Amino acid sequence: MHCPNCRSTDTRVLDSRVADDGGSIRRRRTCPSCNKRFTTVEQMQLTVLKRSGASEPFNREKAVSGVRKACKGRPVTADQLACLGQAVEDALRSGGSAEVPANEIGLAILGPLRELDEVAYLRFASVYRAFESAEDFEAEISMLRAERSAGVTSGFAATAKQPQPTG
Ligand SMILES: [Zn+2]
């Protein structure tokens, strides 16, 4: 970790503390060359297990690329997409596991995307859950309607916490 001020690679840790959620460690550092102090945050590397058995580091941009396609032509801003990416990463990290199966990313996306834009949600769900017919859309839409009339607005957390096999 080089100094952000003078680029010296010789920096010293003054103290380390676990961040409130326990998922990261903040370190206060100092640079002996220029005496500048700065803070670094160390976070668990999230790894995605792909269906092929291969694994790769979690990439937020890549995770929301399917969402971006689903939002085409919809009134969803780049900021909203960025927030969704953050929400998805937070949900995956809150699971406490360093490795997440690729399909859990899709699951974690469904909740927040539904709150963002229902049309984009249906598009995304149709690909993710491999809808095969108009009936699949109808079933999903009637579920959306039923939940809306029941006043369910926190689909987000519920979806992230209850991963279900998708066949
Ligand atoms: Zn320095």
Side-chain angles (χ1 to χ4, degrees):
M1 175 60 62
H2 60 68
C3 169
N5 189 45
C6 73
R7 319 289 289 180
S8 163
T9 51
D10 178 30
T11 62
R12 276 183 36 230
V13 175
L14 296 174
D15 72 71
S16 303
R17 61 186 61 181
V18 176
D20 43 5
D21 63 352
S24 59
I25 292 178
R26 303 176 77 84
R27 295 190 203 281
R28 196 82 188 118
R29 293 173 186 262
T30 183
C31 171
S33 314
C34 69
N35 286 321
K36 189 94 180 165
R37 293 186 174 194
F38 59 102
T39 304
T40 56
V41 177
E42 191 176 298
Q43 241 181 356
M44 176 180 74
Q45 170 70 64
L46 263 185
T47 302
V48 179
L49 280 178
K50 300 202 279 187
R51 220 161 301 185
S52 63
S55 62
E56 64 184 19
F58 174 77
N59 179 313
R60 205 188 291 174
E61 190 51 39
K62 191 172 173 183
V64 298
S65 66
V67 181
R68 183 168 288 121
K69 279 180 208 144
C71 289
K72 203 166 181 201
R74 299 298 304 163
V76 175
T77 66
D79 275 359
Q80 287 175 313
L81 271 180
C83 286
L84 185 139
Q86 176 74 60
V88 168
E89 183 169 349
D90 288 348
L92 295 172
R93 285 187 181 280
S94 72
S97 172
E99 288 187 331
V100 291
N103 72 315
E104 279 191 23
I105 297 176
L107 266 182
I109 285 170
L110 289 173
L113 182 55
R114 189 169 72 184
E115 294 187 0
L116 198 57
D117 189 282
E118 288 188 344
V119 171
Y121 165 80
L122 282 170
R123 286 177 184 160
F124 184 84
S126 73
V127 175
Y128 173 68
R129 291 192 177 141
F131 286 7
E132 282 169 357
S133 63
E135 283 76 21
D136 288 337
F137 278 95
E138 281 172 5
E140 192 69 34
I141 291 167
S142 32
M143 199 197 72
L144 280 176
R145 285 207 184 109
E147 292 195 0
R148 199 189 294 156
S149 61
V152 178
T153 50
S154 56
F156 203 130
T159 311
K161 280 174 191 156
Q162 296 166 7
Q164 49 206 5
T166 48

